[in-house]
Amino acid sequence: MRKGLVGAGAAAVLALVAALRFGGAVDDTVLPGIPSPGPVTEWALPVLTMVATVLGVLTVGLSVTAAFLLPGDGRSVAAHGWVLLRRVTWLALLWAATSAALVVLTVSDVLGLPVDRLGRSSILSFALSVSQGQSLMWQAGLAIAVAVASRAGLSRGVAAVTAGLALGAVLPPAFTGHSAGAGNHQLAVSSLALHVVAASLWVGGLTGLLLVRRHRRFGETAARYSRLALACFVATAISGVVNAGIRLGDWPALWSSRYGALVLLKAVALLAVGAIGAAHRARTLPALRSGTPWAFVRLGVGELIVLAAAVGLSVALSRSPTPVPETAVEPDPLVELLGFAQPGPPTAVRMLADPLPDMFFLTVVVAGILAYLAGVRRMRRAGHPWPVSRTASWIGGLLLLGAITGLGVARYAYVLFSAHMVQHMVLSMVVPILLVGGAPVTLALRALRRPADPQVRGAREWLLLALHSRPARVLSHPLVALGIYVTSLYGLYLGGLLGTLMRYHLGHLAMLTHFVLAGYLLFWVLIGVDPGRRRVHPALLVVVHFLAMVAHAFFGFVLLQSTTVIADDWYTAVHPPWASSLLADQHLGAGLAWAFGELPAAAILLLLVRQWIRSDEREQARLDRAADRAEATGADDDLARYNAFLAATRPGSSTMPEHHADNS
């Protein structure tokens, strides 16, 4: 196994060096008058970038293997998982140190100065003020958090938190560099982030799997990894094609440029690994079940070597000049800020036919629909019907999510407050109501299969743990859900957060995602049918919904009366010349927010009143059944005993309650 890891490292280094030379990322020629950081920085920066990438991949893979792939020991990770988490600690610390060192080398590269000529102030300024430096510092901080979490305990829940932090730590650099530096970064950045996460799970998971090859249930662990690897292969391939297409500009550049040649080499490596994965599923997994593990290990080591070479190519591509220049000859500040040219006056056609797709939401929509339909199919194969109305509600909600975040209205939501408010209302009210109507948790609990090994936690087991966890109990309280919904509404617009979130792609994604999640939580508490909700009387839910309506209407009223422009710095920078004044557009958005919620709010109110009536009908039916049973047996029912108690406690009554008589 050590020889395999050494071979993988050698393949990564060779691929990196060759690709750097071929792609023109390293040039030893020093031109007069052009600042140069020197050969040390030119070579050390990509090499150290690859080291950080490998450390991150290993950290992700080992923590995911310990938390999700290996069987546990009750609530704790088993012995092999404990060993992997101890290795994660040191890998994460090395990763943090490497990321911090990359800050210095990146400053040297940007300023064109050797490392020994850099001042402390320039390094600190870059680390705290420039996006590239900030991303590396975030990565270092998250890596330290991973190291701490890996030592925080032996429970599988803590291991899952460690894996989640590790996945988050690989993402910050994806939001800077080639993909963030040119037009259409909505698609480029999200596709790169998906590519990085999928590749880290794939490569790191394989490494973690090979490190536990002596586990007595290695065959079952390998089968679980195989399913994960197939999903990662599809995600890596699709996101890689999308990102490469953006960087190449047009497909002829694929075979007419050196950058395109490197992309082709990476594609060949991906296809080769896909073929190895198919061989795993067809031949070596059955061999594992029959007790011959070494066939899988030999093929797995070969797969790891090819994947390591692909990692080296990826790092070289991130340093190589692209056919589409990262910085235009005559840069447009608006394109650099928005990622697209300023749209023309809004029309129905432009709102619908001028799309601005985002890979994150496209992935959510496609994966959500496919997973839901797979669950419905499994239910019907087992002979259990599933309401068509729920399927239609779920698919409609996801399609509306994709439309409001990917069609032309998404362009106008960047430059017009009124369009942004329409997007907000749809994402926080209409989309969540439709998704809640799909009852996805109920479908998942019924369709997901339980693992054959009781010590393995599958998706169903993790879902049940989440539903019965303390955070779920707190969040499902109606007042907590209402507080999150209302606080986010007022805090975003009146607390000065909108302009900051609009300026950064990650912030914009987080904001739109929060709209959906906050709305889903509120409407799940109000009208959801999934398990995990608190059982609250419909009368209280009607009150909570009424408070939400009042808070929403008051918010619109406050905006209508406001004379201060919200996110003034952002909307001043992107304000179209054909649009009305900023304050007039803000008042239009306020009016839309005030009026938009009427129909959804009325629909929810009708559903709650209907639930209230049905609850009373069920209670009355229960009392009637109890009375019938009491009449048949000759015993008093609850209602008769209560009436007798009231009669006994009336003033002037000669009869005292039984417990009072006992006391006397």
Side-chain angles (χ1 to χ4, degrees), residues 26-376:
V26 176
D27 188 0
D28 297 332
T29 304
V30 178
L31 299 177
I34 303 297
S36 173
V40 173
T41 297
E42 288 185 349
W43 282 102
L45 182 57
V47 170
L48 207 59
T49 300
M50 191 187 70
V51 171
T53 302
V54 171
L55 289 171
V57 165
L58 292 177
T59 303
V60 168
L62 271 60
S63 57
V64 167
T65 303
F68 301 108
L69 298 181
L70 285 172
D73 183 10
R75 294 186 177 182
S76 302
V77 297
H80 283 80
W82 180 84
V83 172
L84 291 181
L85 289 177
R86 289 301 178 267
R87 293 179 178 179
V88 163
T89 303
W90 298 110
L91 288 171
L93 290 175
L94 288 173
W95 187 15
T98 306
S99 298
L102 280 173
V103 173
V104 179
L105 290 173
T106 306
V107 174
S108 172
D109 183 60
V110 170
L111 298 181
L113 293 174
V115 173
D116 57 357
R117 293 177 57 187
L118 295 176
R120 181 180 301 177
S121 59
S122 60
I123 295 175
L124 289 176
S125 176
F126 180 83
L128 300 177
S129 304
V130 181
S131 60
Q132 284 179 289
Q134 290 172 341
S135 69
L136 290 170
M137 294 306 296
W138 270 105
Q139 186 173 70
L142 288 171
I144 293 174
V146 171
V148 173
S150 65
R151 296 280 179 148
L154 296 179
S155 73
R156 286 194 271 185
V158 173
V161 171
T162 303
L165 288 172
L167 280 172
V170 301
L171 285 175
F175 293 92
T176 58
H178 282 338
S179 296
N184 199 16
H185 59 241
Q186 285 79 10
L187 192 60
V189 173
S190 295
S191 63
L192 181 59
L194 177 62
H195 191 78
V196 168
V197 169
S200 299
L201 286 171
W202 188 6
V203 183
L206 179 59
T207 306
L209 182 67
L210 293 175
L211 289 175
V212 297
R213 64 194 181 280
R214 300 185 186 277
H215 193 277
R216 59 189 178 88
R217 292 175 180 170
F218 178 69
E220 300 169 9
T221 304
R224 286 189 290 275
Y225 167 75
S226 180
R227 293 190 288 271
L228 173 65
L230 178 60
C232 290
F233 171 79
V234 174
T236 302
I238 294 175
S239 58
V241 168
V242 171
N243 201 265
I246 295 171
R247 300 273 43 89
L248 290 168
D250 51 32
W251 292 114
L254 188 62
W255 49 82
S256 62
S257 66
R258 295 193 173 192
Y259 189 91
L262 293 177
V263 170
L264 283 175
L265 283 176
K266 189 178 175 183
V268 170
L270 181 66
L271 293 176
V273 175
I276 296 175
H280 276 311
R281 298 180 69 88
R283 291 185 297 175
T284 60
L285 288 180
L288 278 177
R289 286 190 288 268
S290 64
T292 55
W294 289 107
F296 182 94
V297 173
R298 285 195 298 269
L299 201 57
V301 170
E303 181 181 2
L304 185 62
I305 291 174
V306 177
L307 285 171
V311 170
L313 287 173
S314 299
V315 175
L317 281 169
S318 69
R319 296 285 301 165
S320 301
T322 63
V324 176
E326 190 172 353
T327 304
V329 177
E330 297 180 1
D332 185 345
L334 198 60
V335 172
E336 293 181 356
L337 189 61
L338 295 172
F340 54 88
Q342 193 175 75
T347 62
V349 174
R350 286 175 176 166
M351 284 282 191
L352 299 176
D354 191 13
L356 185 69
D358 190 287
M359 197 71 183
F360 174 76
F361 290 110
L362 284 176
T363 303
V364 170
V365 170
V366 174
I369 291 177
L370 291 179
Y372 195 94
L373 292 178
V376 172

